[in-house]
């Protein structure tokens, strides 16, 4: 992907004054439903109308999409509203049908990106197309797998390429449906600054009340666009009911989002930014310094435990520390989730230090 400057061209050519917005229902349900939503999204900030036709459900037995008939409905959307259309493709047959029906944007779903076989099949079927192709991150937080899929499409001479960040599965339940792991998306952006990146707050949150905040974070991190599931009757949607928003809410969300510029020439801005970054650098150094000191104290405890021949892990003590720190964190605006993660990592490092001493 050496010629990466070319990658942004399709997005820059659109001359958008706001982020690229893809909206529409999770699934096409009926022709009426698709057209009704599309008409409500006409003449808004929405650039592309999305709708799943083939729905990969994690467990069988749920609604699995209307199939190829939905492509005709999407063609009607374009005729009646002028909105460009977008759908997910998961194999060669889907690609052939979508191209036949002149779908403008095709995306590869998170469950497909995990399989190099299926990605290659899709890339071969798309070879040389001038349609926009967006690759969702794989369900697991594996940057190479995501990049590998992008590379396969890039090698198939697809010029209008981009990615969608839709979050990652976890075994533990969190407040997200799929945790964002922003660091992964940032790393991808750093490696390929010219690869357009779209955020999917719907599948990250699984919850319509959190769509705004995740969208704002994405814009603050310089994402190029948003894909947001939209339905006129979200609660009765045939798939992903909890995360869909009405067209009216979508319009409000777009209005309320603060759209930031990537750079600003103004000296004041630059000064303020450098100043704040410098403060962060200083605090980060202090953090590492303090952690180093804490581990030295741990070493001392390890030496004492060795003398007494007691176990490294003292669960009561550990639970008391955690409880206290969650409360302390709360007073300083730190989320319980973050405090837990941070102290688990500190605790693990501390145990490693003490183990080393006890076994020395
Ligand atoms: C979707 O966009 O409707 C979808 C199925 O998403 P994902 O592949 O991210 O699960
Ligand atoms: Mn969905």
């Amino acid at each position: 992907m050496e010629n990466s400057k070319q990658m942004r061209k399709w997005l820059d050519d659109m001359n958008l004054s706001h982020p690229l917005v893809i909206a529409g229902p999770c699934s096409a349900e009926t022709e009426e439903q698709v057209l009704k939503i599309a008409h409500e999204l006409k003449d808004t900030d929405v650039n592309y109308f999305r709708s799943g036709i083939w729905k990969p459900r994690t467990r069988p037995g749920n609604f699995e999409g209307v199939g190829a008939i939905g492509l005709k409905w999407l063609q009607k959307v374009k005729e009646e509203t002028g909105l460009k259309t977008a759908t997910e493709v998961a194999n060669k047959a889907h690609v052939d049908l979508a191209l036949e029906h002149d779908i403008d944007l095709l995306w590869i779903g998170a469950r497909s990106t995990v399989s190099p076989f299926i990605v290659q099949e899709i890339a071969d079927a798309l070879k040389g197309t001038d349609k926009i192709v967006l690759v969702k991150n794989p369900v697991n937080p594996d940057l190479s797998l995501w990049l590998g899929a992008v590379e396969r499409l890039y090698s198939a001479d697809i010029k209008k390429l981009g990615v969608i960040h839709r979050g990652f599965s976890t075994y533990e339940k969190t407040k997200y449906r799929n945790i964002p792991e922003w660091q992964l998306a940032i790393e991808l952006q750093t490696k390929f600054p010219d690869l357009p990146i779209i955020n999917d707050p719907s599948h990250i949150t699984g919850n319509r009340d959190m769509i705004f905040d995740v969208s704002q974070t994405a814009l603050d991190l310089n994402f190029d666009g948003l894909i947001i599931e939209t339905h006129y009757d979200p609660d009765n949607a045939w798939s992903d009911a909890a995360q869909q928003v009405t067209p009216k809410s979508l319009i409000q969300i777009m209005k309320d989002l603060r759209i930031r510029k990537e750079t600003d020439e103004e000296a004041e801005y630059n000064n303020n930014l450098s100043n704040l970054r410098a403060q962060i650098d200083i605090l980060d150094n202090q953090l590492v310094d303090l952690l180093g000191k804490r581990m030295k104290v741990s070493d001392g405890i390890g030496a004492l435990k060795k003398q007494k021949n007691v176990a490294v892990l003292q669960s009561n003590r550990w639970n008391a520390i955690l409880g206290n720190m969650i409360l302390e964190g709360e007073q300083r605006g730190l989320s319980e989730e973050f405090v837990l993660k941070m102290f688990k990592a500190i605790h693990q490092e501390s145990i490693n230090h003490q183990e080393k001493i006890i076994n020395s």
Side-chain angles (χ1 to χ4, degrees), residues 109-119 136-140 145 149:
R111 291 160 197 76
S112 302
T113 308
V114 291
S115 164
F117 291 109
I118 205 69
V119 172
K136 284 202 173 196
N137 66 252
V139 283
N140 54 324
L145 208 47

Side-chain angles (χ1 to χ4, degrees), residues 90-349:
N91 58 37
K92 172 173 162 44
H94 295 168
V95 171
D96 293 346
L97 281 163
L99 294 180
E100 240 170 69
H101 289 79
D102 201 28
I103 302 298
D104 302 289
L105 182 160
L106 312 177
W107 81 81
I108 297 178
R111 291 160 197 76
S112 302
T113 308
V114 291
S115 164
F117 291 109
I118 205 69
V119 172
Q120 192 59 54
E121 176 181 318
I122 294 171
D124 291 341
L126 282 168
K127 201 167 176 56
T129 184
D130 61 353
K131 304 294 187 194
I132 297 172
V133 180
L134 302 179
V135 187
K136 284 202 173 196
N137 66 252
V139 283
N140 54 324
D142 183 336
L143 187 56
S144 319
L145 208 47
W146 197 1
L147 279 176
V150 173
E151 281 160 358
R152 282 173 200 280
L153 290 151
Y154 189 77
S155 303
D157 201 24
I158 287 151
K159 308 264 182 334
K160 299 180 181 167
L161 199 52
V163 295
I164 300 175
H165 169 232
R166 54 76 82 191
F168 304 91
S169 296
T170 48
Y171 173 64
E172 272 174 64
K173 255 192 106 44
T174 75
K175 67 173 179 171
Y176 298 104
R177 179 177 175 194
N178 294 291
I179 51 166
E181 300 281 20
W182 293 104
Q183 281 312 324
L184 241 126
I186 291 168
E187 201 178 322
L188 182 89
Q189 268 186 313
T190 312
K191 281 204 165 103
F192 299 101
D194 299 309
L195 183 66
I197 181 165
I198 313 294
N199 184 258
D200 176 349
S202 305
H203 292 90
I204 287 178
T205 63
N207 171 356
R208 68 180 70 98
D209 297 335
M210 293 162 69
I211 301 280
F212 177 85
D213 285 346
V214 168
S215 302
Q216 185 63 65
T217 302
L219 294 185
D220 292 345
L221 293 171
N222 294 328
F223 276 63
D224 299 293
L226 299 166
I227 175 166
I228 301 183
E229 288 187 342
T230 314
H231 194 297
Y232 59 79
D233 185 9
D235 284 333
N236 291 305
W238 297 4
S239 58
D240 289 354
Q243 70 196 34
Q244 303 207 52
V245 297
T246 60
K248 205 169 145 220
S249 319
L250 179 77
I251 292 163
Q252 192 59 46
I253 287 171
M254 293 313 302
K255 217 163 119 192
D256 293 342
L257 284 172
R258 294 180 305 279
I259 295 160
R260 303 196 197 284
K261 282 184 256 165
E262 198 167 334
T263 54
D264 194 324
E265 297 310 305
E266 268 172 43
E268 197 189 336
Y269 162 82
N270 283 327
N271 279 344
N272 289 344
L273 187 65
S274 323
N275 183 290
L276 293 171
R277 282 184 171 157
Q279 291 183 43
I280 293 273
D281 289 348
I282 293 168
L283 289 169
D284 282 350
N285 275 316
Q286 289 175 344
L287 273 175
V288 172
D289 188 44
L290 267 179
L291 287 170
K293 285 184 180 141
R294 191 190 189 282
M295 292 310 151
K296 285 250 159 20
V297 176
S298 266
D299 290 346
I301 294 179
L304 277 178
K305 285 181 181 165
K306 184 178 176 155
Q307 271 176 23
K308 276 272 181 202
N309 199 25
V310 299
V312 162
L313 183 65
Q314 309 271 316
S315 302
N316 291 348
R317 161 88 179 132
W318 168 233
N319 284 331
I321 293 181
L322 261 188
N324 280 339
M325 289 304 111
I326 287 169
L327 288 178
E328 292 282 337
E330 211 168 64
Q331 286 172 16
R332 290 165 178 77
L334 303 177
S335 71
E336 177 171 341
E337 194 190 0
F338 169 70
V339 172
L340 266 174
K341 265 197 190 153
M342 179 178 68
F343 272 92
K344 275 187 188 164
I346 292 175
H347 189 224
Q348 185 58 58
E349 179 73 3

